[in-house]
């Protein structure tokens, strides 16, 4: 009961008390306590408190003796014993059914495309609810019709995500980490799953995807509340989220800070350790298909799909944005014509998949290639490898073990040919380290990596190896189109060099070349004609050799190729 009191205090505080009649209506629809906070515009840490069951909060809101008992309990600092025998202050585990819910309570058939005649007399799509045949445990542990159980997950058990669904989820940045299923949405369970991934981090950020159907369900309830309470000055805004707290924001308030505290780290937006939580629901596509079949009809135009097929919606973040855009195209009357208002409780709650990965780390330096016959990156043509190793592989072998990373990407300021050495101060490079589990080592560790490369004597050495910020990557590539190279060559002519020849060469400026893709790179680059510029050239005779001259060129990058 103490939990119900905490939620009541939040609902009665500041300017939220005016929403109490609407909260009473929401609770009668089996909307969960946290969604009641959302529809009352509450944005505070109350979400992270254990959620009371909706019937307990409803009893506390309407039962005067019960209310008195709660007040006495608060004063005494104890939890009251309710005469109505409400045994638990939290929702029971969300009941799960093995078969996916249908789009209609009366029929298991998905919504079918309507004909032109049907547009005027189409029965709304009924969202699944607990019927008379629903088991008793589902009625007492009813799934919230607004969030599909997303905000009930921290107090409930969840059904495992099928492996085929996991395989179809989007990849993370750099294809890092892998999707796993989670059968409990509790903070302790999430924390344990994340710890098992073995990452070392000081801050954490949540990336949340939600079932697309949550948008249409929220809209249907919001339209219902507009009908019931707009005369009282409530829910009169033209857009739902001007009064209703977004589900993602509410979920962050529920999970982010408690999860960070449980793990002993800070919760930060754009944090280093990224945790993606994908809440999925088997009926999400079926419940939102009508938006893409009839989308635009609310503005007087039919929405046409190629080949007459409805759009397939992935139940995630991008799908929710798409659904919101589609729903905003419809008038209120058109939306309600095709969707039951208010939405009713489904018999199955959400499933939860998670993915953990570390934001990329970056290590930079300058490499020297002391031997010929070493490619910059692995060079494979028609399945055959050219060269024993590469600059990239040698550096990665020395650096990656310290980071315990999944993989890497190699970037450099240009490249040299396979049979050309790189001497002098070396060529700048950046190694992007994907999904590192270890923390960035001290500079002494990077110095040791340099020594390791030098001792191996494979022709690759590194200077100034060090961790760098991501911004260095853009500097590495900046101005590449304007970069110039200088070449010197000794040329042999079929005839003796004349003064006229040298005058033409020395006076040529900004010569434009139309260059076909060189043969040596044709296996990795498209066969195109590219425009390159020779900015200046000069020559001089070779003493004692009338058929030879020394030619010097200043060109745009990639102008001289074999």
């Amino acid at each position: 009961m103490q939990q119900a009191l905490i939620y009541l205090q939040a609902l009665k505080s500041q300017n939220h008390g005016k929403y109490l009649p609407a909260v009473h209506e929401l609770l009668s629809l089996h909307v969960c306590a946290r969604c009641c906070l959302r529809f009352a515009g509450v944005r505070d840490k109350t979400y992270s408190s254990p959620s009371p069951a909706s019937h307990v909060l409803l009893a506390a809101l309407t039962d005067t003796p019960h209310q008195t008992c709660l007040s006495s309990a608060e004063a005494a600092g104890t939890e009251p014993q309710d005469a109505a025998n409400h045994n638990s202050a939290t929702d029971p585990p969300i009941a799960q059914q093995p078969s996916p819910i249908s789009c209609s309570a009366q029929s298991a058939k998905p919504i079918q495309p309507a004909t032109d005649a049907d547009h005027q007399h189409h029965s709304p799509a009924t969202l699944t609810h607990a019927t008379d045949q629903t088991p008793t445990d589902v009625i007492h542990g009813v799934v919230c019709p607004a969030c599909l159980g997303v905000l009930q997950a921290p107090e409930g058990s969840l059904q495992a995500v099928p492996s085929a669904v996991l395989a179809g989820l989007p990849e993370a940045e750099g294809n890092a980490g892998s999707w796993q299923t989670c059968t409990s949405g509790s903070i302790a369970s999430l924390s344990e799953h994340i710890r098992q991934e073995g990452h070392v981090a000081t801050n954490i950020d949540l990336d949340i995807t939600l079932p697309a159907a949550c948008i249409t369900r929220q809209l249907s309830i919001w339209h219902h509340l507009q009908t019931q309470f707009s005369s009282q000055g409530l829910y009169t805004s033209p857009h739902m989220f001007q009064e209703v707290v977004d589900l993602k924001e509410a979920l962050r308030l529920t999970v982010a800070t408690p999860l960070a505290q449980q793990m002993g780290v800070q919760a930060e937006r754009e944090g280093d350790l990224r945790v993606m939580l994908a809440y999925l629901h088997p009926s999400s596509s079926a419940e939102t298909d009508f938006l893409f079949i009839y989308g635009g009809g609310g503005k007087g135009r039919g929405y046409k799909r190629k080949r007459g097929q409805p759009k397939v919606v992935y139940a995630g973040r991008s799908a929710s944005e798409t659904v919101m855009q589609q729903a905003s195209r419809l008038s209120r009357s058109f939306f309600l014509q095709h969707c039951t208002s208010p939405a009713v409780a489904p018999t199955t709650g959400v499933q939860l998949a998670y993915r953990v990965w570390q934001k990329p780390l970056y290590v930079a330096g300058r490499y020297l290639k002391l031997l010929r016959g070493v490619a910059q990156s692995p060079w494979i043509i028609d399945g055959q490898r050219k060269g024993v190793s590469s600059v990239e592989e040698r550096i990665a072998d020395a650096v990656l073990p310290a980071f315990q990373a999944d993989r890497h990407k190699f970037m450099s300021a240009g490249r040299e040919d396979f049979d050309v050495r790189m001497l002098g101060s070396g060529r700048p490079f950046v190694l992007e380290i994907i999904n590192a589990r270890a923390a960035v080592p001290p500079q002494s560790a990077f110095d040791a990596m340099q020594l390791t490369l030098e001792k191996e004597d494979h022709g690759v050495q590194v200077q100034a190896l060090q961790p760098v910020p991501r911004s260095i990557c853009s500097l590495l590539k900046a101005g590449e189109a304007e970069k110039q190279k200088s070449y010197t060559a000794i040329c042999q002519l079929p005839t003796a060099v004349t003064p006229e020849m040298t005058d033409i060469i020395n006076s040529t400026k900004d010569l434009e070349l139309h260059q076909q893709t060189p043969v040596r790179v044709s296996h990795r680059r498209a066969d195109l004609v590219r425009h390159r510029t020779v900015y200046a050239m000069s020559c001089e005779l070779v003493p004692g050799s009338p058929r030879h001259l020394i030619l010097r060129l200043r060109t745009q990058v990639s102008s001289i190729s074999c």
Side-chain angles (χ1 to χ4, degrees):
M1 292 305 140
Q2 189 70 20
Q3 294 154 352
L5 180 59
I6 292 172
Y7 275 68
L8 279 178
Q9 288 175 332
L11 291 167
K12 293 179 178 179
S13 63
Q14 298 179 2
N15 196 37
H16 304 304
K18 64 182 180 180
Y19 289 99
L20 287 179
V23 170
H24 186 284
E25 175 68 14
L26 290 168
L27 291 171
S28 69
L29 299 173
H30 303 294
V31 172
C32 71
R34 289 190 176 104
C35 278
C36 288
L37 295 179
R38 294 201 301 122
F39 280 91
V42 177
R43 287 182 170 88
D44 61 26
K45 63 181 181 180
T46 306
Y47 288 92
S48 62
S49 300
S51 173
S54 56
H55 67 276
V56 175
L57 185 58
L58 179 60
L61 185 64
T62 58
D63 189 358
T64 302
H66 182 75
Q67 194 93 326
T68 303
C69 184
L70 280 174
S71 300
S72 301
E74 181 187 20
T78 60
E79 199 166 308
Q81 297 297 320
D82 181 37
N85 290 325
H86 295 297
N87 295 324
S88 172
T90 60
D91 282 323
I94 299 173
Q96 304 292 340
Q97 301 297 323
S99 58
I101 68 173
S102 65
C103 195
S104 172
Q106 283 77 30
S107 172
K109 296 180 180 179
I111 302 175
Q112 298 296 324
T115 63
D116 292 340
D118 293 333
H119 277 278
Q120 300 300 323
H121 306 287
H122 180 76
S123 57
T126 306
L127 304 175
T128 308
H129 63 90
T131 63
D132 294 338
Q133 289 75 36
T134 305
T136 304
D137 60 340
V138 177
I139 295 175
H140 289 298
V142 67
V143 180
C144 176
C147 69
L148 289 171
V150 169
L151 295 180
Q152 294 170 299
E155 284 82 32
S157 59
L158 303 171
Q159 198 174 53
V161 180
S163 57
V165 176
L166 289 176
L169 293 176
E171 294 180 349
E173 182 179 359
N175 194 26
S178 59
W179 285 104
Q180 307 288 335
T181 186
C182 189
T183 55
S184 172
S186 69
I187 300 300
S189 177
L190 288 174
S191 174
E192 181 61 25
H193 283 299
I194 295 170
R195 290 181 190 276
Q196 289 175 0
E197 296 292 325
H199 293 85
V200 175
T202 58
N203 52 65
I204 188 173
D205 182 27
L206 296 184
D207 191 356
I208 298 168
T209 66
L210 298 171
C214 288
I215 293 293
T216 52
R217 285 176 167 270
Q218 290 175 111
L219 278 171
S220 70
I221 292 175
W222 181 60
H223 287 314
H224 172 73
L225 294 177
Q226 282 185 317
T227 302
Q228 297 293 319
F229 300 103
S230 60
S231 61
Q232 301 178 30
L234 304 178
Y235 306 108
T236 57
S237 301
H239 302 291
M240 176 174 64
F241 292 126
Q242 290 180 349
E243 290 184 88
V244 180
V245 177
D246 179 65
L247 180 54
K248 276 190 183 180
E249 181 182 352
L251 186 58
R252 286 185 178 277
L253 290 169
T254 303
V255 174
T257 300
L259 181 60
Q261 292 174 346
Q262 179 84 9
M263 298 185 63
V265 297
Q266 295 293 321
E268 296 181 8
R269 298 305 300 267
E270 301 300 324
D272 294 333
L273 186 62
R274 309 297 298 275
V275 179
M276 177 176 279
L277 302 178
Y279 293 84
L280 312 171
H281 200 277
S283 73
S284 188
S285 291
E287 291 190 10
T288 53
D289 275 348
F290 79 95
L291 291 174
F292 299 94
I293 297 172
Y294 309 116
K299 293 188 177 181
R301 292 190 303 169
Y303 184 79
K304 296 181 180 179
R305 295 287 304 163
K306 288 184 179 180
R307 301 177 184 174
Q309 296 297 319
K311 183 173 177 122
V312 176
V313 182
Y314 162 67
R317 176 177 56 193
S318 60
S320 292
E321 292 171 356
T322 303
V323 169
M324 196 67 213
Q325 291 172 2
Q326 287 295 105
S328 65
R329 299 175 61 189
L330 304 177
S331 66
R332 182 176 186 273
S333 60
F334 193 88
F335 179 86
L336 296 178
Q337 183 182 356
H338 296 280
C339 188
T340 297
S341 179
V344 285
T347 56
T348 306
V350 291
Q351 302 164 341
L352 175 60
Y354 71 93
R355 188 173 196 167
V356 183
W357 74 96
Q358 180 79 270
K359 288 179 64 175
L361 302 175
Y362 299 89
V363 174
R366 290 175 172 268
Y367 75 80
L368 302 173
K369 193 173 76 173
L370 307 180
L371 300 177
R372 304 181 192 275
V374 178
Q376 186 188 76
S377 55
W379 191 4
I380 300 174
I381 304 176
D382 297 329
Q384 298 295 319
R385 183 187 183 104
K386 189 165 184 178
V388 177
S389 185
S390 66
V391 173
E392 174 185 341
E393 289 170 302
R394 292 299 182 192
I395 296 175
D397 288 345
V399 173
L400 289 187
F403 288 89
Q404 302 174 31
D406 286 354
R407 58 186 63 85
H408 71 278
K409 292 180 181 178
F410 186 84
M411 297 165 279
S412 66
R415 63 169 63 229
E416 66 285 336
D417 290 344
F418 175 75
D419 56 354
V420 174
R421 295 181 296 170
M422 170 52 62
L423 305 176
S425 60
R427 186 183 296 277
F429 74 90
V430 173
L431 194 68
E432 179 180 343
I433 300 171
I434 299 172
N435 199 24
R437 287 168 176 79
V440 177
Q443 184 59 45
S444 59
F446 292 101
D447 297 338
M449 295 172 194
Q450 293 184 192
L451 291 175
T452 299
L453 283 168
E454 186 175 342
K455 291 178 181 178
E456 287 178 348
D457 195 25
H458 291 300
V460 177
Q461 294 183 10
V462 172
Q463 298 175 350
L465 193 65
Q466 58 189 296
V468 294
R470 183 174 183 172
S471 58
I472 202 71
C473 297
S474 58
L475 294 176
L476 193 70
K477 298 297 182 181
E480 188 156 308
E482 292 77 28
K483 197 176 296 182
Q484 299 180 9
K485 284 190 174 182
S486 297
Y487 298 88
T488 302
I490 298 177
C491 303
Q492 179 179 316
L493 279 67
T495 61
V497 179
T498 65
E500 290 78 11
M501 292 180 184
T502 58
D503 289 344
I504 292 174
I505 292 174
N506 291 331
S507 62
T508 300
K509 306 288 184 183
D510 298 327
L511 176 64
E512 185 175 284
L513 306 178
H514 294 184
Q515 183 192 65
Q516 192 82 20
T517 300
V519 174
R520 66 181 181 84
V521 296
S522 59
H523 66 284
R524 59 181 172 86
R525 299 187 69 182
D527 188 12
L528 300 172
V529 175
R530 297 176 175 85
H531 299 277
R532 297 288 185 260
T533 302
V534 178
Y535 297 109
M537 61 177 69
S538 63
C539 69
E540 60 186 76
L541 295 175
V542 176
S545 182
R547 292 176 55 198
H548 291 81
L549 58 79
I550 299 174
L551 178 64
R552 293 184 174 85
L553 304 174
R554 181 165 54 85
T555 75
Q556 185 180 357
V557 292
S558 302
S559 296
I560 307 300
S561 298
C562 298

